Amino acid sequence: MPFGRCISAVTSVRRLYVLLVGYEVLPKSISTKDLGARFILCEPICCYLVKTASGWILLDAGFDPVYVQNRELTEQYFHSAGIYPPIVSPAHELPFQMQQLGLSFRDVNRVVLSHLHLDHAGYLKYFHHAPVYIQRQEYLHGFSAARPGSYFLDDYNSPNIDWQLRDGDWEVVPGLTMLSTRGHTPGHQSAVIELPKSGTCVLPFDAGDLQENFDLEILPGECVDDVAALASIRRLKAITAERRGQMILFHDPVAIQRTRLAPEFYD
Ligand SMILES: [Zn+2]
């Protein structure tokens, strides 16, 4: 579809906060399909808080550090699967960072998830008071027997979560639009945010982890649909160019050092 059709020109978004909530230690080929397997990267994990005229919206729910603070869980979820455990310092923890902004989980009105991987859904089990928006295909995949080990069912298998399922592109509030960017997973979505001063911010999430995924059109390491994943990369590039916007990358260890991190913000 044309890029602009569902992206509102009027914005109710006031501020965007980028929260760095930990790091993952990964072979580079997790981010760049079939490339760089011998290199190990330490990639940031982020959450985004969006201040709008109608309250606070949390985009993605990070990684729950309980999995690296409890030795049995670390063994079960990481060491026994041959995966390096993530690194989460006390200053990375989401509740601490929200406190610095004068916020608690209860202040979040809505949660929107890009997808259900372990580094995006970690704290979801603590958000029973706010509706959780997700693409229907991602929800179905997350609860299917076919889901891979990168989905931690314990993070989101709570009967108290108020799931709100969406199909395709949709507007959360004026100025915050989610675009279907499937390919990495069956129901991945990315965000386009219109800010009063900063203009358009495109948040790809895992449609492309690193700048080179976009510069060189390299697919994510894990894809359920390569053709769709490439189309998603091209779509996000085109929207960023068309709107003279900026991309804020979720997992790029170099770009994160140039990103304005909370308590600073984009407005
Ligand atoms: Zn992912």
Side-chain angles (χ1 to χ4, degrees), residues 1-15:
M1 70 182 292
F3 313 130
R5 192 187 294 168
C6 72
I7 300 175
S8 175
V10 181
T11 188
S12 68
V13 177
R14 303 288 180 257
R15 288 180 177 181

Side-chain angles (χ1 to χ4, degrees), residues 171-216:
E171 184 180 81
V172 186
V173 292
L176 169 54
T177 303
M178 302 304 295
L179 304 180
S180 169
T181 47
R182 56 181 302 277
H184 172 58
T185 64
H188 188 278
Q189 56 183 349
S190 304
V192 179
I193 298 180
E194 295 298 333
L195 284 159
K197 292 183 192 162
S198 304
T200 302
C201 286
V202 174
L203 309 179
F205 297 92
D206 287 9
D209 290 346
L210 312 176
Q211 187 62 47
E212 70 185 79
N213 291 102
F214 293 95
D215 291 345
L216 306 175

Side-chain angles (χ1 to χ4, degrees), residues 41-100:
L41 296 187
C42 198
E43 295 191 0
I45 305 169
C46 299
C47 287
Y48 305 110
L49 272 168
V50 185
K51 185 179 189 181
T52 76
S54 53
W56 288 96
I57 300 172
L58 178 69
L59 303 183
D60 271 3
F63 168 75
D64 187 345
V66 71
Y67 294 108
V68 290
Q69 291 163 347
N70 175 304
R71 195 175 294 187
E72 282 175 28
L73 289 177
T74 310
E75 180 60 34
Q76 178 189 340
Y77 281 89
F78 294 98
H79 293 309
S80 69
I83 303 167
Y84 302 108
I87 299 165
V88 182
S89 75
H92 288 141
E93 293 188 17
L94 181 61
F96 171 77
Q97 293 202 59
M98 288 184 66
Q99 261 173 35
Q100 305 291 100

